[in-house]
Amino acid sequence: MGADKKPGSIVHLGAGALSGITSCVLLQPFDLVKTRLQQTQMQTHARGIGTIANTVQSIVASSGVRGLWRGTLPSLIRNAPGTSLYFYFLNHTKHTCLAIERRLSNDTTRTRLSPTSNMIIGASSRAVAGFLLMPGTILKVQFESSLYKHAGIAGAVQNIWHTSGVRGFFVGAVPTAIRDAPYAGLYLLLYEAIKHQERTIAKQRNVLIPETAVTMVAGVAAGLAASYITQPFDMVKTRMQLRPREYTSVAQSFAKIYNEETIRGFFRGISLRVLRKGVQASLVFTLYEWVLRSTGSREESSPTKLRA
């Protein structure tokens, strides 16, 4: 176990940044359309695939195909360092939890984290990274929305500062944390459980499954499930960040959306978010683990356990 060379913090930061940039650029249109759908109240006559298609057509008609990638720069500003920091915290928290579990169980050979530890390190790492990058999240959402016409990053920063001060860069921090922490915790729990099950079945049936296939399947499945469960908080976050004068707090936002749009209002844009999150999570973790394996470390090819 100790013979393998462990990648340092720079490798984890670099692997996280690479996976974050790649997924951000490829999947930006999903985020853009989701934000446009969530920025306004749901209309009873407009729903489902038809609404998504109409939104895409409207964006392309007014801004061309390039318009689907509006907000990519602020997304990169938020997601590249955000993903990088997430995996950095994930790696360091993993070793702390593993050391604690070894001590509590009096088992120094233990290599797998418990499901509880997976949830804790996933949730805490995402919450910390998300809070630190909250200003980037605000810029990202406003650039994606048609409610704001920022000419550039500098202009957007000045406008937010003059309008709301420092607080303006952290609007929606609470629902974002409530969304991201449970999402990351659930995702990591499901991701590791599915990977372990895949490897167990493959071993029982004496079938060789490429590691990339294992991580991609686990990533998609875990991302889909965790996204659906945390969707209401994503809606509240978006409304608070785009229309702060109407949606002033988490409780008030939940009540307003429910009273005006019923329970269905919380799931506006759900298909886009679920699809994007599933693909993104699979892509991010697959790239991240591939980079770690490419550095020569088999031991830490998984961000949450040393080996299956």
Side-chain angles (χ1 to χ4, degrees), residues 25 67 69 73 84 138 153 156 187 204-205 269:
V25 174
W69 272 267
L73 180 57
S84 188
I138 298 294
I153 300 294
Y187 175 84
Q204 290 174 346
R205 299 185 179 183

Side-chain angles (χ1 to χ4, degrees), residues 25-87:
V25 174
L26 292 177
L27 302 174
Q28 177 60 23
F30 289 91
D31 249 2
L32 178 74
V33 177
K34 177 185 73 72
T35 299
R36 295 290 175 91
L37 288 173
Q38 290 184 339
Q39 71 183 16
T40 56
Q41 294 178 340
M42 177 182 290
Q43 303 298 318
T44 57
H45 63 277
R47 64 181 68 172
I49 300 300
T51 305
I52 295 174
N54 290 338
T55 303
V56 172
Q57 289 176 355
S58 175
I59 295 171
V60 173
S62 61
S63 307
V65 175
R66 288 182 58 191
L68 294 172
W69 272 267
R70 176 177 169 78
T72 299
L73 180 57
S75 290
L76 287 172
I77 292 174
R78 185 253 180 263
N79 287 335
T83 306
S84 188
L85 285 173
Y86 169 63
F87 280 116

Side-chain angles (χ1 to χ4, degrees), residues 83-129:
T83 306
S84 188
L85 285 173
Y86 169 63
F87 280 116
Y88 174 81
F89 292 136
L90 199 65
N91 177 59
H92 283 271
T93 310
K94 173 194 71 174
H95 287 291
T96 300
C97 286
L98 186 60
I100 293 173
E101 288 191 0
R102 284 173 173 172
R103 191 174 300 114
L104 293 175
S105 63
N106 292 321
D107 181 8
T108 58
T109 63
R110 185 170 187 155
T111 58
R112 292 192 69 238
L113 288 171
S114 66
T116 300
S117 291
N118 278 328
M119 287 196 68
I120 291 174
I121 67 174
S124 60
S125 298
R126 179 62 71 187
V128 173

